[in-house]
Amino acid sequence: MKTILSQSLYELEKKNSLCIVTIIGNADSSPRKAGSCMLVGERGRITGTIGGGRVELLAEERAIRLISEERSEVVDYALKTDSSVPGSIGMACGGDVTVAFTYIPGTSEAFAAAAAEGKRACEEGEGAYVFFPLTGDAVKIVSDASVPGNGEIIRTEDGFYYCLPRKERAIIFGGGHISAALCPILASVGFSPVIYDCREEYSNPARFPTASETICRPYEEIEKHLSFGENDYIVIMTNGHSYDYECEKAVLNTGAAYIGVIGSKKKTAAINAKLREAGADEETLASVHTPIGLSIKAVTPEEIAVSVAAEMILVRAEKREGLGIGEAHHCPMH
């Protein structure tokens, strides 16, 4: 949605009318879930996607027509090949999607103001909803610190609320080669990376331009400089076993969404033994992802970074599903 809002501002500067196409409901197998959206102009799709294929083509054509007609509407599509099914469009996914088409006049100051505020909220990671009316262009931003943040859709009689995505924080202890490869990957998929290292040359903005913050402090002082919560994803890959131990001891009982520690099974056993001596229980130790990353036979720092990022994405998706702000993927595309 941040890209949609940003591009909308650019188009409105040129007084171009637009249509925001949003899936506000889906059932069974569908290429994309509720919350997926795309921006369409008078000449066609500008950015975003609602899943590709025939459903996106038909939605794009309808959006262009609605721009010319200066109106909004909601349409149901049956992603089925059986022509006897109402709304069938010849797709084999087998599910159904409900799509909202929100017309935005090129002269809409109300939407421009809302888009600018929504873009800022996305960049700051604040909790906020965008309200899209079914008629008119009175799009507005509703700030709410409790917003879970993942494109959740809340439908009402006169429109729907779109939950702006919030960035989960990824705290990486250790600024070595793998961290240097991992940081930009995490930033590109919606995490807000924080780098913590006791060495200045491995914890500075020049080395990590995509990090939201870099911290150079002793590992024994972690709790003085950071607090942790349920939206934190923690990666431990320092330059020493004793440092890994200090980091893991500091974060183990913080309720973080994810804790991953790099290292061999032998190293893990040794650190776990020390953590048990410090009072850690078996259930908590078992929750730590170590060896870190999905098993893809990674060797190079870049490959290991991909495996770690993939595991974090998986854990994040499962967490969101558990909170009811996401859902299991059914389509083979996913």
Side-chain angles (χ1 to χ4, degrees):
M1 179 56 73
K2 177 186 173 183
T3 302
I4 299 288
L5 296 176
S6 298
Q7 190 64 40
S8 295
L9 287 170
Y10 175 76
E11 295 294 331
L12 289 178
E13 288 179 358
K14 298 184 290 185
K15 306 302 182 184
N16 292 333
S17 294
L18 305 165
C19 185
I20 297 179
V21 182
T22 311
I23 297 179
I24 61 173
N26 68 293
D28 299 324
S29 296
S30 59
R32 298 295 294 270
K33 67 182 183 65
S36 301
C37 53
M38 69 176 177
L39 181 67
V40 178
E42 295 175 358
R43 296 184 178 180
R45 189 183 74 86
I46 297 172
T47 189
T49 179
I50 61 168
R54 184 160 177 75
V55 66
E56 184 162 296
L57 174 62
L58 292 176
E60 180 181 351
E61 292 172 346
R62 183 179 290 268
I64 294 172
R65 186 174 75 251
L66 290 172
I67 291 173
S68 67
E69 297 173 358
E70 299 183 354
R71 65 185 183 89
S72 303
E73 69 177 1
V74 175
V75 178
D76 293 317
Y77 293 102
L79 311 182
K80 299 175 174 64
T81 56
D82 186 351
S83 59
S84 65
V85 176
S88 174
I89 61 173
M91 290 184 70
C93 293
D96 302 278
V97 294
T98 300
V99 181
F101 296 82
T102 306
Y103 166 67
I104 307 295
T107 56
S108 176
E109 295 182 0
F111 180 77
E117 177 60 19
K119 178 175 177 289
R120 186 199 64 78
C122 288
E123 292 171 345
E124 298 296 327
E126 297 177 357
Y129 292 100
V130 183
F131 176 73
F132 290 93
L134 296 182
T135 59
D137 67 331
V139 177
K140 62 182 180 180
I141 301 295
V142 181
S143 296
D144 186 345
S146 67
V147 171
N150 184 34
E152 180 187 18
I153 298 294
I154 300 175
R155 297 173 66 174
T156 66
E157 291 184 1
D158 56 347
F160 64 95
Y161 289 88
Y162 185 104
C163 176
L164 291 178
R166 298 183 68 178
K167 285 187 176 181
E168 290 89 347
R169 190 170 58 161
I171 304 167
I172 306 174
F173 291 105
H177 298 308
I178 299 173
S179 298
L182 177 62
C183 186
I185 297 175
L186 294 179
S188 73
V189 294
F191 287 98
S192 180
V194 174
I195 304 297
Y196 191 116
D197 198 298
C198 62
R199 303 163 293 175
E200 289 186 8
E201 65 271 30
Y202 288 94
S203 56
N204 63 76
R207 181 172 174 80
F208 294 98
T210 56
S212 62
E213 184 180 6
T214 56
I215 302 171
C216 182
R217 291 290 186 272
Y219 290 115
E220 295 81 5
E221 298 180 3
I222 289 172
E223 292 163 299
K224 294 182 181 179
H225 306 288
L226 284 171
S227 58
F228 305 93
E230 61 182 13
N231 285 324
D232 289 326
Y233 292 69
I234 298 168
V235 176
I236 300 173
M237 45 179 64
T238 73
N239 59 317
H241 292 192
S242 62
Y243 295 148
D244 283 359
Y245 166 75
E246 291 294 339
C247 294
E248 194 169 348
K249 184 176 68 171
V251 305
L252 201 55
N253 294 298
T254 58
Y258 171 93
I259 299 174
V261 185
I262 199 166
S264 65
K265 292 181 179 179
K266 183 177 180 180
K267 171 197 163 184
T268 298
I271 291 179
N272 281 354
K274 291 185 65 177
L275 290 169
R276 290 188 189 94
E277 292 176 3
D281 60 72
E282 295 302 322
E283 183 178 357
T284 302
L285 291 175
S287 69
V288 177
H289 297 261
T290 183
I292 196 170
L294 296 185
S295 180
I296 59 172
K297 300 186 184 298
V299 176
T300 67
E302 293 77 14
E303 290 174 344
I304 295 171
V306 169
S307 76
V308 173
E311 185 172 65
M312 294 171 69
I313 291 169
L314 174 61
V315 171
R316 180 176 63 179
E318 291 174 341
K319 180 175 184 287
R320 289 173 172 177
E321 289 170 9
L323 292 172
I325 55 176
E327 61 183 58
H329 294 300
H330 303 293
C331 183
M333 289 175 64
H334 297 285

